[in-house]
Amino acid sequence: IGAGVFKLSGGGDFSDPSDPSFDLGLEGRELLLVRNRDMRLRTNVRLGLRGNLSKATLAGEIGLIDGRIYQELEITPLLQPDPSAGGPAMLPDLAGLVTGPPAAWDLDIAIRNDSPFLIVGDLAGGSIEPDVTVRGTLGAPVLEGAVLARDVTAYLPFSTVSIPEARIAMNPANPRVPD
């Protein structure tokens, strides 16, 4: 996490070494997440981890700031094809990436914009506005909410395509297939 200021606070109780408890907080401002020729993204973070090793909750807010996409915006490459023939495109399966006791920790993390996330380029423009909450557990996270694209304009050789608003809704009942 480059070029930002963050603070870790809190403590823990290790009187039961098999199931220690903790109350930790992480606050950060303008933390650099991505910077390359295609994208720049910083974040403000306020997260808390409270509980014990066997059962804890990771909760808080992630505010995206200074977001810029400098290339063509293509959502479909972010989606993986459904292995069954003719099925819908699917989000990657994040279940099972975290194992052991932390896999049971509950999640409640809101992801929003703290400043506009812009699509910038010669061929396209607009903004992206996430309103997403990550719930479930660390071992099986579930996205709820939606991502809006607003005032997207694509400049084609002989025409211009304008999309005032597009919405991708996360479906908790089927978390890998957005609506």
Side-chain angles (χ1 to χ4, degrees):
I1 302 177
V5 177
F6 68 93
K7 176 177 82 172
L8 181 62
S9 60
D13 178 359
F14 295 91
S15 58
D16 179 359
S18 66
D19 197 22
S21 63
F22 35 81
D23 186 352
L24 302 172
L26 173 67
E27 289 190 38
R29 303 245 353 123
E30 299 182 11
L31 303 176
L32 181 63
L33 295 180
V34 178
R35 181 173 53 199
N36 58 37
R37 68 179 185 85
D38 299 327
M39 185 174 175
R40 179 181 70 209
L41 182 60
R42 293 180 182 274
T43 186
N44 294 328
V45 175
R46 193 174 68 203
L47 296 173
L49 179 60
R50 291 171 183 78
N52 53 31
L53 183 61
S54 62
K55 190 64 175 171
T57 299
L58 178 60
E61 301 171 358
I62 297 175
L64 305 178
I65 60 171
D66 198 25
R68 304 287 186 272
I69 294 177
Y70 296 108
Q71 66 175 14
E72 293 179 41
L73 178 62
E74 294 185 37
I75 293 175
T76 52
L78 301 175
L79 303 175
Q80 297 176 348
D82 185 354
S84 64
M90 298 173 67
L91 294 170
D93 187 4
L94 301 177
L97 292 179
V98 176
T99 60
W105 294 355
D106 292 323
L107 295 171
D108 187 10
I109 302 170
I111 302 172
R112 313 278 189 275
N113 279 350
D114 281 355
S115 67
F117 191 139
L118 301 176
I119 303 165
V120 180
D122 293 340
L123 302 177
S127 68
I128 300 170
E129 300 176 18
D131 185 11
V132 176
T133 302
V134 183
R135 292 214 165 88
T137 64
L138 203 52
V142 175
L143 296 175
E144 297 177 3
V147 176
L148 297 178
R150 291 190 190 273
D151 300 320
V152 175
T153 303
Y155 303 101
L156 305 173
F158 299 105
S159 65
T160 301
V161 176
S162 295
I163 303 170
E165 183 174 292
R167 182 174 189 267
I168 300 173
M170 306 302 158
N171 181 354
N174 195 357
R176 293 188 58 211
V177 181
D179 292 336

